[in-house]
């Protein structure tokens, strides 16, 4: 399985600021994704990070709020923009090593917005 | 309707005993995949086991096995010989055909506590 590193592991941010989360995979992967887990909830897919092109967003998520980059096969970033307390969540990067069905996750970023 | 239902908000088990975590799913797709993940208090999501809808045998990964009953649409996780480190939240998830490879639908989770 791929090893997925995420940073920061946690952060406390002020309302109105932005935070960029980085995700690095130790081997080439075909697909990378970003999920959100709001407090006490299960996970929801934000978007698919596409290499060299715009991410594909799920319903309810927009690029202006969650810009995503994926400049190469093993690295992606998610920015949470103009944060509000409602953005306080765990954000998780995930990846498929190949189209082998299994989806692996990074260690997550615990974000608190004051 | 919920696509993934985990009816046990919390479960308790004695160390070294086996425990079953329940998961039922709802789909009309003949092709789908079922996953179990473990989430410790640190927040990371750890992949445990995968079962494809066409797999003939129940999946096993070490102490984890999946009791897959297709007709009943259930995919229960069995943890044998529980350890204190198994205490965590456990999520069941499903991917349906035609959706993105990364799009899983998750249940609400079951908190497992292992007592010494």
């Amino acid at each position: 399985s791929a090893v997925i590193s995420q940073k920061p592991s946690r952060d406390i941010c002020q309302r109105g600021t932005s935070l960029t989360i980085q995700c690095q995979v130790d081997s080439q992967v075909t697909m990378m994704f970003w999920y959100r887990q709001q407090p006490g909830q299960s996970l929801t897919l934000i978007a698919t990070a596409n290499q060299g092109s715009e991410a594909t967003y799920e319903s309810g998520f927009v690029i202006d709020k969650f810009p995503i980059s994926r400049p190469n096969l093993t690295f992606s970033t998610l920015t949470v923009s103009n944060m509000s307390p409602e953005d306080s969540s765990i954000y998780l990067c995930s990846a498929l090593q190949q189209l082998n069905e299994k989806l692996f996750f990074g260690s997550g970023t615990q974000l608190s917005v004051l | 309707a919920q696509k993934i239902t985990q009816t046990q908000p919390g479960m308790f088990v004695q160390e070294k005993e086996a425990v079953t975590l329940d998961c039922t799913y709802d789909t009309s797709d003949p092709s789908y995949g079922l996953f179990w993940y473990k989430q410790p208090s640190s927040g990371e999501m750890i992949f445990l086991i995968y079962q494809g809808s066409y797999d003939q045998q129940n999946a096993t990964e070490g102490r984890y096995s999946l009791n897959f009953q297709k007709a009943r649409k259930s995919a229960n996780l069995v943890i044998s010989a529980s350890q204190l480190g198994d205490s965590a939240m456990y999520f069941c998830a499903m991917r349906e055909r035609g959706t993105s490879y990364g799009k899983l639908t998750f249940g609400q989770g079951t908190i497992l506590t292992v007592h010494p």
Side-chain angles (χ1 to χ4, degrees):
Chain A
S1 62
V3 174
I4 305 174
S5 303
Q6 233 181 285
K7 58 180 181 181
S9 57
R10 60 177 65 238
D11 208 341
I12 301 172
C13 300
Q14 295 296 321
R15 179 194 300 261
T17 63
S18 297
L19 175 72
T20 296
I21 302 167
Q22 298 181 4
C23 178
Q24 178 74 53
V25 188
D26 71 339
S27 58
Q28 291 200 345
V29 297
T30 54
M31 303 182 80
M32 295 180 73
F33 311 90
W34 288 96
Y35 274 80
R36 180 177 73 180
Q37 185 181 23
Q38 293 178 298
Q41 304 293 316
S42 62
L43 282 72
T44 302
L45 179 65
I46 297 172
T48 302
N50 299 311
Q51 185 194 357
S53 64
E54 191 172 290
T56 304
Y57 290 85
E58 296 297 308
S59 175
F61 298 96
V62 295
I63 187 171
D64 290 346
K65 177 66 177 177
F66 298 103
I68 289 169
S69 77
R70 187 180 174 193
N72 57 55
L73 279 174
T74 62
F75 184 78
S76 178
T77 66
L78 166 74
T79 299
V80 186
S81 303
N82 189 24
M83 287 183 284
S84 67
E86 293 70 36
D87 295 320
S88 298
S89 298
I90 298 174
Y91 292 86
L92 295 120
C93 172
S94 63
L96 277 171
Q97 243 178 326
Q98 55 185 5
L99 294 181
N100 66 357
E101 311 287 353
K102 298 177 183 178
L103 187 69
F104 296 94
F105 286 84
S107 52
T109 297
Q110 297 203 13
L111 171 62
S112 298
V113 184
L114 305 178
Chain B
Q2 292 283 340
K3 290 213 169 194
I4 295 286
T5 303
Q6 294 180 252
T7 57
Q8 306 153 315
M11 287 287 285
F12 296 89
V13 66
Q14 206 72 25
E15 193 179 9
K16 299 180 185 176
E17 293 186 349
V19 62
T20 298
L21 306 184
D22 294 341
C23 173
T24 58
Y25 58 92
D26 181 25
T27 181
S28 56
D29 231 325
S31 177
Y32 52 89
L34 297 158
F35 300 74
W36 277 92
Y37 290 90
K38 171 184 177 181
Q39 187 176 42
S41 57
S42 58
E44 62 186 309
M45 289 288 286
I46 302 168
F47 168 83
L48 295 179
I49 199 164
Y50 168 81
Q51 179 85 42
S53 60
Y54 292 119
D55 293 344
Q56 295 295 315
Q57 307 224 342
N58 286 345
T60 60
E61 295 273 358
R63 294 187 299 112
Y64 305 106
S65 61
L66 201 151
N67 183 2
F68 182 44
Q69 299 189 40
K70 195 170 182 177
R72 297 179 60 185
K73 293 188 176 178
S74 76
N76 298 339
L77 176 71
V78 180
I79 305 174
S80 63
S82 297
Q83 303 171 357
L84 296 178
D86 293 334
S87 294
M89 176 75 89
Y90 288 80
F91 288 99
C92 179
M94 175 174 66
R95 177 173 60 218
E96 295 171 279
R97 181 181 61 181
T99 62
S100 159
Y101 264 88
K103 186 169 185 177
L104 303 186
T105 302
F106 284 80
Q108 290 302 305
T110 296
I111 299 175
L112 175 66
T113 303
V114 181
H115 289 304

